[in-house]
Amino acid sequence: MPKILIVGGGYAGFYTAWKLEKWLRSGEAEVTVVDPLPYMTYQPFLPEVAAGSIEPRHAVVGLRRHLKKTRVVAAKVTAVDHAAKTATITPELGEPWEESYDQIVVTAGAVSRTFPIPGVADNAIGLKTIEEATAIRDRILTNFDKAATMPPGPERTRLLTVVVVGGGFAGIEVFAELRSFVSALIKSYPEIAFEDTHFHLIEAMGRIMPEVSLPTSLWVINNLAERGAQVHLDTQLKSAVDGVVELSTGESFESDVIIWTAGVMATPDIKHYGLPIEERGRLRVRADLRVEGDDGIVEGAWGAGDVAAVPDLTGGGVGGFCVPNAQHAVRQGKLLSKNIVASLRGEGVKDYVHKNMGAVAGLGLGIGVFQSGKIALKGLLAWFAHRGYHGLAMPSWERKIRVIWGWIHNFFLGRDNVSLEARVKPRAAFEEFAARPKVSTATASTPAVKAAGTPVPAGAAAPTTAKSSAAPGNPELPGSHSSEPAATAAVNGVAATDSAPESPDNAPAPSPAASGGSAAPAKAKAASKPRAKAAAKSSPAGE
């Protein structure tokens, strides 16, 4: 049976696998999807997740739940040898292995594109993952709780200042949604006035939202200004060190929430796949989504989505290629599944042709913009168009119902304004009050201990006349981790990373003063056996 390996479970990868299950006959091929995350994120909903309008788990699609006939592997493809038709799969735990395939589909997606601006890597956060959107929401709520107890001053202003870098669709949507979110929050915080909150959007170009007409983009700027938000055009971010935002215009202010939305790039992982890549780091593919090299088509290799440079045959793309957005990725995934099936059956494949249907954006509750050709809608009607389009575009009726039902709940009950930022350290409260073994007092019959005043090292043989003072501190709980999968960077003071949130496995060991014991947790098991033997041989009175 032919093996189809799909690298990446985002839009294009999920839809390719989903439709392959529909088009393939029983036993015609075996499909495997490899992605570190067990879900697809519907990224157009991330601004609403950040603003508390959508429950985070409703904005993702579980791969195992909706891909009934597909093998799902939660790991990364770290290397590809296409000549041998093998891929190296590396799980988070365990040893890598070689996976053979007959057809490979590269839909590994994109990541935030940043520049070497001082402080950005340490203090900013992107908006490409559900974890980032959730972290932004929790940080704003936590900052409001802190600011409500502080007197007016620079630190309070810092907590109530939000900065978004990038004036594309993603940047404008999260900027406007958060402005709407914060305006609603003020009603619950009598200690904070509207004038205490500050919103800054930084855009290097002379306009925002190039996907819409100039009059529509100007309307958006005026609408944001009326709502107390400031848009800096023709302005570059020069530095964000320690949260101090310095602009090319000479302006400077501090912020505890700096959101980076200034572009994306193909995931750098594809450099290890040995497949043809164009100058911008994207996979080279033909209009029919087959990978193409200098010598022609690379048999058995396909690509789609943000990771691939797909020619735009309508002439409406940027530089002759499809822009990296969900509208193209979804449709490319659907066509890709049909072309793979046609290839397996010896039939002809089709080129990808899709004319942009327009652009729609939500700018907060009751406000939106819609642009299709020369037709432009603004305000409430455009907001309904935004929610209607994305509500229906969400994959599967199960997900559609969850999202739409959540909108209905919020209409009657309002947005939930509780921060769960403490979830990234779920064991903090338990650890603070957990009882720990006491350190025994060394007896006078242990000269070395009496003279030096230090305990016997963990794992060393205990004297027969005295109890070993090596005691386990607070052994780490195996499997302890945050309830959120693969948490992303904190908004302030933590660099962006793919690693898990701070947990017992990567937190520093407690000090002797805090833990009540001098032995490190890692030595607990090694110290237990020698101590038990010594105690059995000659235990001091009262032990």
Side-chain angles (χ1 to χ4, degrees):
M1 186 185 299
K3 295 182 179 180
I4 302 172
L5 179 65
I6 301 176
V7 183
Y11 288 115
F14 172 78
Y15 271 92
T16 299
W18 205 26
K19 296 304 178 181
L20 278 174
E21 291 190 348
K22 176 181 179 180
W23 298 114
L24 285 172
R25 303 188 187 103
S26 178
E28 190 171 9
E30 176 186 317
V31 182
T32 299
V33 173
V34 181
D35 194 292
L37 299 176
Y39 51 80
M40 183 210 86
T41 302
Y42 191 77
Q43 293 181 3
F45 281 156
L46 292 183
E48 289 198 63
V49 171
S53 295
I54 293 179
E55 163 64 28
R57 284 180 175 81
H58 294 172
V60 299
V61 180
L63 300 182
R64 296 182 186 276
R65 175 162 187 170
H66 295 280
L67 299 179
K68 304 293 188 181
K69 305 175 184 177
T70 302
R71 175 183 169 222
V72 177
V73 179
K76 291 186 69 173
V77 173
T78 53
V80 173
D81 183 351
H82 192 62
K85 296 291 183 71
T86 60
T88 303
I89 298 180
T90 305
E92 185 175 356
L93 298 174
E95 296 297 323
W97 74 88
E98 299 292 326
E99 184 88 10
S100 63
Y101 64 83
D102 297 287
Q103 305 277 338
I104 188 169
V105 179
V106 181
T107 53
V111 298
S112 296
R113 181 194 62 188
T114 58
F115 305 103
I117 301 172
V120 167
D122 298 323
N123 299 289
I125 186 171
L127 192 67
K128 288 289 292 177
T129 68
I130 197 69
E131 293 82 16
E132 288 173 325
T134 305
I136 292 169
R137 173 184 178 274
D138 286 342
R139 174 52 60 91
I140 289 177
L141 288 168
T142 299
N143 284 356
F144 259 69
D145 289 332
K146 293 177 180 177
T149 63
M150 299 174 65
E155 183 60 30
R156 189 173 190 262
T157 300
R158 175 192 177 104
L159 293 174
L160 299 176
T161 299
V162 176
V163 175
V164 175
V165 183
F169 250 68
I172 290 296
E173 282 194 287
V174 72
F175 186 67
E177 288 284 357
L178 291 178
R179 175 70 270 185
S180 174
F181 179 43
V182 166
S183 298
L185 273 181
I186 293 172
K187 300 175 184 178
S188 302
Y189 291 84
E191 306 90 346
I192 300 175
F194 180 87
E195 294 75 17
D196 295 332
T197 62
H198 307 278
F199 277 74
H200 298 272
L201 184 132
I202 304 166
E203 172 52 49
M205 296 176 61
R207 60 163 297 179
I208 61 171
M209 304 174 75
E211 298 89 346
V212 303
S213 65
L214 184 59
T216 301
S217 69
L218 292 175
W219 180 89
V220 173
I221 293 175
N222 291 333
N223 179 269
L224 290 170
E226 293 172 358
R227 294 156 61 187
Q230 185 175 358
V231 177
H232 304 262
L233 297 178
D234 293 313
T235 305
Q236 296 179 357
L237 176 65
K238 304 297 289 184
S239 175
V241 175
D242 296 329
V244 179
V245 177
E246 297 180 8
L247 306 181
S248 58
T249 58
E251 296 176 80
S252 178
F253 45 84
E254 294 188 34
S255 173
D256 198 51
V257 183
I258 303 173
I259 305 169
W260 181 274
T261 63
V264 298
M265 65 180 183
T267 177
D269 291 343
I270 64 170
K271 297 177 182 178
H272 307 295
Y273 294 174
L275 297 172
I277 298 174
E278 46 95 72
E279 59 272 11
R280 295 187 63 183
R282 297 173 298 181
L283 194 66
R284 290 173 56 185
V285 300
R286 294 163 50 98
D288 57 17
L289 306 178
R290 289 182 290 182
V291 176
E292 183 178 39
D294 295 335
D295 299 327
I297 296 173
V298 179
E299 292 295 337
W302 310 77
D306 295 354
V307 76
V310 181
D312 191 336
L313 300 183
T314 67
V318 177
F321 298 101
C322 296
V323 296
N325 61 22
Q327 191 175 139
H328 283 299
V330 168
R331 288 166 175 80
Q332 288 169 10
K334 292 179 179 180
L335 176 67
L336 184 51
S337 65
K338 293 183 178 180
N339 279 353
I340 292 174
V341 173
S343 175
L344 292 175
R345 297 173 183 173
E347 302 171 357
V349 297
K350 297 181 179 179
D351 288 344
Y352 175 74
V353 181
H354 173 69
K355 187 174 182 179
N356 198 321
M357 298 172 60
V360 60
L363 305 176
L365 291 179
I367 307 173
V369 292
F370 169 82
Q371 182 86 45
S372 181
K374 296 182 179 181
I375 301 175
L377 301 177
K378 310 175 188 72
L380 182 61
L381 189 59
W383 180 75
F384 277 117
H386 162 75
R387 286 210 159 175
Y389 172 77
H390 286 298
L392 294 176
M394 186 71 176
S396 84
W397 281 105
E398 179 259 339
R399 293 285 103 178
K400 288 179 173 65
I401 292 172
R402 289 184 188 274
V403 170
I404 296 172
W405 192 244
W407 284 335
I408 295 173
H409 279 181
N410 286 348
F411 179 79
F412 291 103
L413 304 177
R415 286 183 279 205
D416 199 334
N417 61 357
V418 176
S419 170
L420 296 178
E421 191 171 37
R423 78 194 186 285
V424 299
K425 297 181 180 179
R427 293 186 65 250
F430 176 84
E431 225 177 342
E432 181 180 359
F433 301 105
R436 293 177 170 84
K438 293 182 179 180
V439 179
S440 60
T441 304
T443 63
S445 58
T446 310
V449 175
K450 182 178 180 181
T454 57
V456 178
T464 58
T465 57
K467 175 179 134 182
S468 170
S469 60
N474 183 28
E476 299 174 357
L477 296 179
S480 297
H481 54 77
S482 167
S483 60
E484 290 288 336
T488 53
V491 179
N492 186 48
V494 181
T497 177
D498 290 333
S499 64
E502 184 175 339
S503 66
D505 293 330
N506 47 33
S511 63
S515 64
S518 59
K523 298 290 187 179
K525 292 185 178 180
S528 61
K529 291 185 178 180
R531 176 180 175 180
K533 292 179 180 179
K537 189 171 183 180
S538 58
S539 299
E543 183 179 14

